[in-house]
Amino acid sequence: TLTVSELAFDVLRRFISVHEISNSALQQICNESYPDDIPVSNMIPKSKNEKEEKSLFFLAELYHGPTFCFKDLGLRPVIAMLSHF
C-alpha cells in the first residue's frame, strides 16, 4: 500500500515538471508535508451513513488537522513548494 507522501508525490509529479522541481526535492516536499508513514486508507477518517445498513456512502472527515480545517490536508505541500522557491 502507498503512504500518503508517496501518493502525493505520484499525483504532484503528473502536474509539476522535473525541470521545475527535481524528483528528490519533490519527494522531500511530500515527506515534510505528510511526515508519518500513514497508509492512504487510514489518512482520512470516514464516517458511514448509519441510516442504511448496506449503504456505500461514506463522508470524509477533513477537519482533523492542526487547525481543524479541511485545508490542513491539501495546503501542506503548497506551502512547502512556496518555500522551495
Side-chain angles (χ1 to χ4, degrees):
T1 59
L2 286 175
T3 63
V4 176
S5 63
E6 291 168 339
L7 178 63
F9 176 84
D10 289 345
V11 170
L12 291 172
R13 179 48 64 212
R14 294 175 189 266
F15 297 98
I16 300 170
S17 168
V18 177
H19 301 291
E20 295 174 320
I21 301 177
S22 68
N23 282 333
S24 60
L26 184 59
Q27 188 64 56
Q28 182 178 354
I29 287 169
C30 292
N31 290 340
E32 290 171 2
S33 300
Y34 306 109
D36 301 324
D37 291 335
I38 301 172
V40 173
S41 59
N42 296 339
M43 177 66 178
I44 301 171
K46 298 169 281 296
S47 59
K48 188 172 182 175
N49 181 3
E50 300 297 331
K51 293 181 181 178
E52 296 183 36
E53 191 173 310
K54 295 182 181 180
S55 175
L56 297 176
F57 177 75
F58 287 86
L59 182 64
E61 299 175 356
L62 299 177
Y63 54 85
H64 292 282
T67 65
F68 303 106
C69 183
F70 70 94
K71 294 178 271 182
D72 287 338
L73 184 66
L75 288 182
R76 290 179 191 173
V78 173
I79 293 166
M81 282 187 270
L82 287 173
S83 66
H84 173 77
F85 294 107

